[in-house]
Amino acid sequence: MTADIPSLPPLTSLADIEAFESVPLASRNLPANTLEVIRETVRRQPDTLAIRYIENGDKWKAARDSGETDLSRDITYGQLLANIYRAANLFRATGIGDSDVVSMVLPNVPEAHYVLWGAEAAGIVAPINHMLDASEIGEIIQSAGSKVLVVMGVHEEFDIAEKLATIRAHAPSVEHVFVVGAMPQHAEDCQSFEDALAQHADDGLTFDREVRPESIASLFHTGGTTGLPKLAQHSHSNEVYTAWALNLVLQYRSGDTNITGLPLFHCNAALASGLLSFMHGCTVLLTGINGYRSPGILSNMFHLIEHYRVIGFASVPTIIAVLSQLPTEGCDLSSLKVAGCGAAPMPVELFNKFQNATGVRIAEGYGLTEATVCSTMCPPAADPPRIGSIGLRIPYTRVKSAILDSKGVFVRDCEPDEVGIVLVNGPSVTPGYLDSSKNAALFVTDSNGDVWLNTGDLARQDNDGYFWLTGRSKELIIRGGHNIDPKSIEEVLVTHPAVNLAAAVGRPDSYAGEVPVAYVDVVSDVSEEELMEYCREHIGERAAVPKAITIVDSLPVTGVGKIHKLTLNLMELKLVIDKELAKLQDNWVSCRVEPQLDPKLGAMAHIAIRCPEGVVESDVDAAVREALGAFSFPFTLDVSY
């Protein structure tokens, strides 16, 4: 079966999307599973490059400048499929059945794609964030019931081999461990992944299995949840649909090159960059063993784009912030058409800086693991651009804002521009968590009897169909695109004998979007630095360690006694604004900052500055807007005498 990959003008309005949907999704002939996606592309173009791998950007640049031609490790579509067959056959030989799980703790190396799609052909894959604490990694593997584990070997930029003993101690379900690259010490019962692959057939599957669209393909864990992260199930149809539908907006074509620098343990890189590219015959430029974090990748990003005629890449605001500071002189960026950004709101000033530097408009999107990467996106060609919007729903996915009661029960749909909880329905929505007991709050049934995914995020939809995020009812802190549950901080702090209550919130940050901070009330003497050190020792995830802890007499509470985090959010907003304005203030008569919750815009601030005579108001206005434009929060500004 060949997928219907239509050639069509860009979908730039809700009317375009609705017209496209006049053909039922069932008539679009999508492949039944992820292996068939890659098989179809191999039938069309086996010799096209599927993956081009560059481990270190600085070494790549030095080799290119010296005239070398062997700059990357290249894998054709034929070679990719051969290695996926080998991996699938290997996993079956170890006893992996249709419902058994292969966990992988791998960086951004080509072998990760062999494991991803080979494991989905043989059973189920569970990619895991290597930056988590070793015991937590092991416990996630055990929660998935994984029989096979594939990990990275000894590497100067990757430390998982050092964690392997601890991981295994927490994951007794694992029967086989395969190591990519150099073997760690004291790993006598581990096997070389490369050697094991070579022992298996590369021209097809050696076992019979009907992988249906509804078959479970993967378990992607959610970020930053209380206790163990939840494992969200993705079906093959979830993943195939996402790779197909998202490209209706992005419009990648055969032969295009896009950069993958986000980590492959996240479904964005695996699906929205990986499987999407493989479905449409594109080349994935896999940059750096640790993606964008690898040496010389970001600093040489524009050179990579020019050299390989890159058409697009996916990112988060922190990546855009770095790229906006890089010089573009001497770099031909005319190939670049798509700069995707998600995971956190995009500051307007940052959007403008990037566009001014590159000539490319950022396409903001919105999604979550439970909805297989992406539910809305701003069309790159939208006119006029909606800076700050998360865009229109993607074709065949339904998205709406709704009012829910205090127990999460549906009350009604929102009116245009009315803020409510974002609900998603459609072919990308997860069948549920692996632990079904956690599904109760995941789904909502509306007045028509339709079941929707409750994202927990707050947004409004305007009259043109564009969505605008205004907050997160789930209270997640998003640091550089990484989700941090405040409870993972609070539950550590309250174990300290001096702490009575703790509340963690996000502080606006010009680089990371926001960073975690905590407020505590205490029952005995303790310093804020002591509590910081306690967090550093007891919070396994480095990104979740608070940047600051403030001891208060009491935490603000609601009328029913719950901690009122909105008050703390607004306090942090004012603190940041006051700090930034203090850098600018010279001889202002007064400066008043009033943070508040706006029904449409969410947390924002009204700023009023009075200047003495002789000061040019427009200069003050421009300076303040430039200083605060690096942040994602909205504000109003009144400068007067």
Side-chain angles (χ1 to χ4, degrees), residues 581-639:
L581 295 185
K583 300 174 185 177
L584 304 176
Q585 188 171 350
D586 184 10
N587 58 349
W588 300 346
V589 174
S590 66
C591 176
R592 188 176 73 254
V593 177
E594 297 180 350
Q596 68 177 56
L597 182 67
D598 184 272
K600 288 186 179 181
L601 301 176
M604 64 166 300
H606 295 296
I607 304 169
I609 298 172
R610 286 188 60 209
C611 302
E613 291 188 15
V615 173
V616 179
E617 294 174 63
S618 60
D619 289 347
V620 175
D621 185 279
V624 171
R625 292 186 186 280
E626 181 177 2
L628 299 184
F631 297 87
S632 61
F633 54 76
F635 62 90
T636 62
L637 177 61
D638 177 30
V639 180

Side-chain angles (χ1 to χ4, degrees), residues 63-95:
R64 191 201 69 165
D65 291 349
S66 65
E68 294 183 29
T69 57
D70 187 16
L71 301 176
S72 58
R73 177 182 166 195
D74 295 344
I75 295 106
T76 68
Y77 271 97
Q79 292 167 333
L80 172 64
L81 181 59
N83 281 300
I84 290 170
Y85 281 145
R86 288 190 181 107
N89 293 330
L90 165 63
F91 297 143
R92 274 286 163 143
T94 65

Side-chain angles (χ1 to χ4, degrees), residues 280-329:
H280 299 93
C282 305
T283 299
V284 171
L285 182 57
L286 199 56
T287 47
I289 191 167
N290 281 315
Y292 290 130
R293 297 170 179 262
S294 296
I297 294 301
L298 283 180
S299 59
N300 289 299
M301 185 80 158
F302 293 146
H303 296 291
L304 290 164
I305 290 171
E306 176 186 42
H307 187 85
Y308 293 112
R309 307 301 298 159
V310 170
I311 192 172
F313 65 90
S315 68
V316 295
T318 51
I319 303 303
I320 297 295
V322 172
L323 295 178
S324 297
Q325 304 301 316
L326 296 180
T328 58
E329 292 81 4

Side-chain angles (χ1 to χ4, degrees), residues 475 477 485-487 489-490 493 502-506 516-519 565 568:
E475 299 179 342
I477 301 164
D485 191 323
K487 290 183 180 178
I489 302 168
E490 295 158 357
L493 277 168
V505 295
V517 297
Y519 288 79
K565 288 194 174 180
L568 301 178

